[in-house]
Amino acid sequence: MTHAVRLIDAALPEFGEPTVEPQVPRDTYLARVAEAMRRAAASGLQALVVYGDREHAANIAYLTGYDPRFEEALLVALPGRRPTLFVGNEGWGYAELAAGDFDRVLCQTFSLLGQPRDRQRSIRDLLRDAGLSAGMSIGAVGWKSFGPSDPGATADWLELPSFIADALREIAGGSGRVVNANDLFMNPADGLRAVNDVDQLARFEFAATFGSEALRRVLFGIRPGMTEVEAARLLQTNGLPLAAHTMLSSGPRAAFGLPSPSLRRLERGDPVTMAYAPQGALNARAGFLVTDATELPEGVRD
């Protein structure tokens, strides 16, 4: 089969920036929890324990609308019972803004170093109060599952902090089991988060439009002689939470893709990579800082 290829000049579309911020409603969170529990039961699980922290917030936010900031968080969900969300000192008030449905419990062990522990009970007692008990089959959800390509992996491999995993295993005891249940959420074929509801799609598009416009400003404003930091200022980041660190690099570092901007000065002919990821989206571009194709390195002028 042959394909005709044409090289054309295409203008970048101008999306503008959103004037309305879509929200995920409470009923959607309720439906997500209900479906998670249905799938857990179909997998032989009697409870789900969903972990979150600043770097791994997506699954717990998917079910509750709560995105951890400085602390760990934990959601315990069982059939026929309102889920329990464990938060630290700073999350206690912040959790009131979350649109999901849950009972809030203070777990000061999740608080930062040096903060009060004056009301802290044993995490094992708190988990038992939330409905976990001996003999249960508990699904632990963090952010990563393991499979045949991970030598030695079993369903017992957990990526949760040890003090949480140890507590769960102690509660389940010898007659129960704690297994990695991330596939319920993250399996690319049929995971809960592999198919997005309309509320989530609207939220993603909201974030993606800001990302598109930010990179557009860099593409049209970047100039030789700027530092990478000065070029990154063109993004005009707006304070939305990020899914990844902002990236912009040039010259020898550009090939690695992931570096954050530095004070290196951009030079004509430099390769440049950049990425901006407001939570729910990630836009990335790579190219060369040149006036026209004649300035490109040999091998890429086509």
Side-chain angles (χ1 to χ4, degrees):
M1 181 182 294
T2 60
H3 296 278
V5 177
R6 290 188 305 128
L7 184 65
I8 66 170
D9 289 325
L12 287 178
E14 293 191 25
F15 295 111
E17 291 194 340
T19 57
V20 175
E21 183 173 2
Q23 303 292 336
V24 177
R26 188 181 191 86
D27 286 348
T28 296
Y29 288 116
L30 291 170
R32 290 173 178 179
V33 172
E35 179 62 14
M37 296 315 301
R38 187 192 70 78
R39 295 193 185 200
S43 299
L45 300 174
Q46 296 165 285
L48 287 178
V49 176
V50 184
Y51 173 81
D53 59 29
R54 182 61 265 161
E55 294 295 323
H56 311 103
N59 286 325
I60 202 166
Y62 175 81
L63 295 176
T64 67
Y66 178 75
D67 63 318
R69 293 299 165 115
F70 302 108
E71 306 165 329
E72 300 97 343
L74 206 65
L75 184 76
V76 179
L78 293 88
R81 179 170 177 154
R82 196 180 189 201
T84 303
L85 178 68
F86 294 93
V87 295
N89 292 329
E90 297 195 54
W92 178 256
Y94 180 57
E96 293 183 19
L97 297 176
D101 184 59
F102 49 80
D103 289 325
R104 184 179 39 152
V105 171
L106 180 65
C107 178
Q108 289 182 310
T109 295
F110 290 168
S111 303
L112 300 183
L113 291 172
Q115 288 194 0
R117 301 297 199 271
D118 55 315
R119 290 181 285 164
Q120 177 59 26
R121 296 172 56 214
S122 160
I123 191 170
R124 289 161 177 79
D125 290 343
L126 292 175
L127 290 169
R128 290 188 178 100
D129 287 350
L132 302 184
S133 60
M136 274 190 169
S137 180
I138 301 170
V141 180
W143 65 93
K144 182 187 293 186
S145 57
F146 305 96
S149 58
D150 299 294
T154 71
D156 300 315
W157 274 26
L158 306 182
E159 81 291 28
L160 308 187
S162 177
F163 75 98
I164 296 175
D166 292 346
L168 293 174
R169 287 172 172 143
E170 181 180 316
I171 291 170
S175 59
R177 194 177 183 192
V178 182
V179 299
N180 189 310
N182 283 288
D183 267 354
L184 292 180
F185 291 79
M186 301 301 295
N187 186 295
D190 60 4
L192 274 169
R193 291 179 50 219
V195 179
N196 290 298
D197 53 62
V198 66
D199 298 313
Q200 194 66 64
L201 288 172
R203 187 72 193 176
F204 285 165
E205 178 64 14
F206 169 80
T209 303
F210 280 114
S212 293
E213 289 302 298
L215 262 64
R216 180 190 180 94
R217 285 189 288 269
V218 178
L219 287 172
F220 283 91
I222 193 169
R223 296 290 184 273
M226 284 182 171
T227 66
E228 292 173 355
V229 168
E230 288 170 337
R233 286 197 186 113
L234 296 170
L235 292 167
Q236 297 179 25
T237 56
N238 53 18
L240 289 174
L242 299 178
H245 294 300
T246 298
M247 297 163 241
L248 193 149
S249 56
S250 62
R253 297 196 312 150
F256 298 99
L258 299 180
S260 297
S262 73
L263 289 180
R264 181 188 184 275
R265 291 202 175 274
L266 295 153
E267 299 176 6
R268 183 182 293 272
D270 271 347
V272 179
T273 59
M274 66 186 96
Y276 176 50
Q279 199 172 80
L282 189 149
N283 286 275
R285 290 294 181 271
F288 290 87
L289 188 59
V290 298
T291 302
D292 56 48
T294 63
E295 297 181 357
L296 291 172
E298 289 289 343
V300 297
R301 292 180 185 174
D302 59 350

